[in-house]
Amino acid sequence: MRTFKESLAHFNLPEFKTAWGQFVRGIEKESLRVTPNGRLAQTDHPAALGSTLTHPYITTDYSEALIELITPTFTNIEECLQFLADLHTFSYNNLPAGEMLWGSSMPCLLESDAQIPLARYGSSNIGKLKTLYREGLGHRYGRLMQTIAGIHYNFSMPESFWADYRVLKQSTEPLQDFQTRQYLHLIRNYHRFSWLLVYLFGASPAVCRCFTKGRDHQLQEFDAATLFRPDATCLRMGNLGYKSDAQKSLFVCYNELDTYIECLQKAMSIPYPPYEEIGMKKDDKYLQINTNLLQLENEFYATIRPKRVGTSGERPLELLRSKGIQYIEVRLLDLNPFLPLGIDAEQIRFLDAFLLFCLLADSPHCTEREYFETESNLAAVVNDGRAADLELSHQGKKVSKTKWARKLLDEISHSAGLLDHIHGGTAFAASLKTQAAKVEDAGLTPSAQVVHAMREQKLSFSAFGLLQSKTHLSWFNKQTVSQNQLDHLTAVSAQSLASQASIEANDDMSFDDFLVQWNSFR
């Protein structure tokens, strides 16, 4: 455990005020709705859960059956998790009879794309655009890939931190520019070291055989219904998941905000021959928003995103250009199938210490060589992260994954020391100790525990996923939501339906014209 003085000295800080540790955090958690036998639900999104277009807490991602629960932001970890638990309980209470939420990131039993209904957002132009975007994703990558679920962790430093930190860094630039530059600093380090998060928290080492139908893979047979890699950690982040050949060539630079925006805007404006072959329309039905490399900014499957809060219909890149970075979104976290919420306070504390380390440690500008080196490291840990002899590449040199992980945890212990001092206690150091044990014994990682549970109980992946999902269902059936919270969630759901109706009533152009206008925006 680090002393406060040691931690300050490590980051060359004269102080670390208590207020600086009041991180602002929120969680977005995706889960498939499934039937009692573990197949994808074919029912509509429950009306009692409100409008997926306008509800601030409950929406859908790719599929009508892929529910997404979104907490507001909190400075208190337990309050954030409690709100997420309330959203789960409220949702469970309003699901169609017999349905439950799938507890794993990799999907349940699926046999064809036709079984995966696209999310629907109503008859407004913006609602139709959201569905068309998903139609395009299905044509480009296949609908199976879009049934993968994950957890996104939204993180920002408190507002009071930035003015003080600008003084400490002796910067004279405008505060928003300084804040944006420092978030890019954090993001570059996150990219360098995100493989560690995949190793520690990856929980998708196996998939149903049906998930690989018609797709190239390098998986091995676990049983007649299951494929896996013996040392895999997070197949969700590999070639079977959120990676695509079309995007592999993109060098997305996080050195300057302008270059980041320019790279994505270029990808959204350059036609891509395979997508041109799909075409925009077939039999008067739109197939995708456009035929460019990216339909929208969000099609770039980054492991982290710079973000800014905006209103419906505002373009994310334009928000960043005009107002700068407000927070970051960590996007590579699997659902932990052994946890009802998929995440817990201990993991959040480590994420906080990790992200603070990424902000405070030196972060040189990224080169194209380093960018693709980082991508290669991530792929290695995704596929073979638990292999004892795995080597990664650091500045062009081979390095033991285990030795590098130990070094990183030693560095992160200083940010954990800062947080334990200002919050009182040893909770952040304890989280670090738990992660250190995983580095020394890969059998303690969630991915290893998944494989172990399947072997010990002689379960296929689908049977394991169904068992865990039923365990979570039993847990949530015992939970209650306070009357005030229940009234709030009920009122928000009703208001979201009214808001959607208002948007639909006020549309004043055809969807054809709306799409032309949308695609011409630069």
Side-chain angles (χ1 to χ4, degrees):
M1 182 175 172
R2 298 291 184 180
T3 68
F4 187 54
K5 185 176 180 180
E6 287 175 333
S7 297
L8 287 174
H10 182 78
F11 293 117
N12 195 28
L13 292 172
E15 61 180 342
F16 195 86
K17 295 179 181 179
T18 299
W20 296 356
Q22 299 303 306
F23 300 155
V24 182
R25 59 180 68 78
I27 298 171
E28 304 171 22
K29 190 217 177 196
E30 303 158 347
S31 304
L32 289 170
R33 289 188 290 114
V34 299
T35 64
N37 62 357
R39 294 188 177 276
L40 190 68
Q42 301 297 303
T43 52
D44 293 341
H45 183 77
L49 298 183
S51 163
T52 54
L53 180 68
T54 58
H55 202 301
Y57 311 138
I58 304 173
T59 184
T60 50
D61 195 274
Y62 177 79
S63 172
E64 186 75 359
L66 184 54
I67 197 169
E68 183 173 1
L69 305 178
I70 305 167
T71 74
T73 55
F74 293 89
T75 57
N76 181 284
I77 293 173
E78 298 299 340
E79 289 177 2
C80 185
L81 290 172
Q82 184 58 57
F83 198 100
L84 183 60
D86 289 346
L87 288 177
H88 277 81
T89 303
F90 181 74
S91 298
Y92 269 109
N93 290 342
N94 289 287
L95 292 184
E99 288 187 7
M100 69 189 106
L101 299 182
W102 188 249
S104 295
S105 278
M106 301 309 283
C108 56
L109 288 169
L110 298 166
E111 292 171 358
S112 70
D113 278 5
Q115 288 182 305
I116 305 168
L118 294 180
R120 297 181 289 275
Y121 299 94
S123 61
S124 68
N125 284 328
I126 192 67
K128 290 178 180 177
L129 184 82
K130 288 170 72 73
T131 297
L132 178 58
Y133 169 60
R134 287 152 176 79
E135 177 85 35
L137 293 177
H139 290 297
R140 292 173 175 216
Y141 312 111
R143 290 194 181 186
L144 282 176
M145 188 182 109
Q146 311 303 323
T147 59
I148 297 172
I151 287 178
H152 300 165
Y153 184 64
N154 298 316
F155 171 93
S156 64
M157 297 296 291
E159 288 298 319
S160 62
F161 169 78
W162 293 111
D164 292 337
Y165 196 54
R166 181 176 60 166
V167 172
L168 289 180
K169 301 298 284 187
Q170 298 181 335
S171 171
T172 58
E173 62 193 316
L175 186 60
Q176 184 57 67
D177 293 346
F178 174 78
Q179 178 176 318
T180 290
R181 186 164 60 83
Q182 293 301 316
Y183 274 129
L184 291 172
H185 174 119
L186 182 161
I187 289 170
R188 289 194 300 274
N189 272 340
Y190 173 94
H191 268 282
R192 292 179 176 109
F193 311 130
S194 58
W195 63 264
L196 179 63
L197 298 181
V198 169
Y199 173 80
L200 295 173
F201 302 115
S204 53
V207 299
C208 290
R209 188 182 291 270
C210 60
F211 185 73
T212 64
K213 187 177 181 180
R215 306 175 71 186
D216 293 332
H217 63 82
Q218 295 179 316
L219 304 183
Q220 300 176 22
E221 184 173 286
F222 179 84
D223 61 24
T226 306
L227 298 174
F228 83 131
R229 282 183 70 95
D231 294 311
T233 58
C234 183
L235 295 178
R236 167 178 166 270
M237 295 306 303
N239 288 337
L240 283 175
Y242 291 138
K243 293 291 179 184
S244 72
D245 291 337
Q247 294 185 27
K248 282 182 179 178
S249 61
L250 285 177
F251 166 45
V252 181
C253 178
Y254 294 95
N255 293 334
E256 305 290 344
L257 184 61
D258 285 346
T259 55
Y260 168 75
I261 292 172
E262 180 184 350
C263 177
L264 291 189
Q265 285 189 325
K266 183 178 179 181
M268 289 192 295
S269 60
I270 295 179
Y272 186 62
Y275 301 159
E276 288 183 303
E277 289 181 16
I278 295 169
M280 282 283 289
K281 268 186 172 184
K282 182 178 181 181
D283 299 329
D284 289 328
K285 179 187 176 183
Y286 282 108
L287 302 179
Q288 52 188 335
I289 290 177
N290 53 51
T291 59
N292 300 330
L293 181 57
L294 300 178
Q295 297 176 94
L296 302 173
E297 298 94 326
N298 288 351
E299 191 173 339
F300 176 60
Y301 290 116
T303 60
I304 188 171
R305 281 181 185 158
K307 299 292 287 282
R308 181 104 209 164
V309 174
T311 59
S312 177
E314 288 189 281
R315 306 296 287 261
L317 292 184
E318 286 306 306
L319 275 171
L320 290 176
R321 187 196 301 278
S322 62
K323 298 181 179 179
I325 301 173
Q326 184 180 15
Y327 67 98
I328 56 98
E329 179 187 49
V330 171
R331 298 172 48 80
L332 53 55
L333 301 174
D334 278 344
L335 278 61
N336 186 327
F338 301 103
L339 300 173
L341 298 179
I343 190 171
D344 61 10
E346 183 175 73
Q347 181 175 348
I348 289 175
R349 290 191 187 97
F350 183 79
L351 290 171
D352 287 348
F354 177 85
L355 293 170
L356 181 61
F357 155 72
C358 288
L359 176 64
L360 298 179
D362 289 341
S363 182
H365 276 201
C366 177
T367 64
E368 187 169 356
R369 180 200 60 77
E370 184 189 25
Y371 178 86
F372 288 108
E373 178 183 68
T374 296
E375 291 292 296
S376 177
N377 286 339
L378 187 66
V381 176
V382 160
N383 292 312
D384 301 299
R386 286 183 281 113
D389 59 351
L390 180 65
E391 290 187 324
L392 303 177
S393 180
H394 182 45
Q395 296 179 349
K397 298 179 180 179
K398 292 293 183 182
V399 59
S400 159
K401 173 215 67 184
T402 300
K403 289 182 179 179
W404 194 2
R406 288 171 184 156
K407 184 177 185 301
L408 284 174
L409 291 178
D410 184 63
E411 294 273 321
I412 298 166
S413 70
H414 291 287
S415 53
L418 295 176
L419 295 173
D420 274 332
H421 177 82
I422 62 173
H423 288 290
T426 60
F428 289 90
S431 175
L432 199 72
K433 185 176 181 180
T434 299
Q435 311 319 316
K438 295 178 187 176
V439 171
E440 302 307 320
D441 180 1
L444 299 174
T445 61
S447 57
Q449 291 176 341
V450 169
V451 174
H452 177 75
M454 291 193 303
R455 280 190 174 133
E456 284 292 299
Q457 300 173 64
K458 295 181 172 57
L459 296 172
S460 65
F461 171 73
S462 61
F464 165 78
L466 185 57
L467 176 64
Q468 294 306 118
S469 302
K470 288 181 176 179
T471 301
H472 298 170
L473 173 62
S474 297
W475 189 86
F476 281 111
N477 282 340
K478 299 173 184 175
Q479 306 306 305
T480 58
V481 179
S482 72
Q483 190 61 50
N484 283 344
Q485 181 74 313
L486 181 60
D487 290 344
H488 173 64
L489 294 177
T490 302
V492 169
S493 295
Q495 179 56 51
S496 72
L497 292 170
S499 297
Q500 176 180 327
S502 176
I503 292 171
E504 291 172 350
N506 286 288
D507 268 352
D508 58 2
M509 69 171 68
S510 70
F511 184 67
D512 289 341
D513 291 340
F514 176 83
L515 188 58
V516 169
Q517 184 181 88
W518 184 275
N519 281 324
S520 64
F521 182 84
R522 291 290 179 268

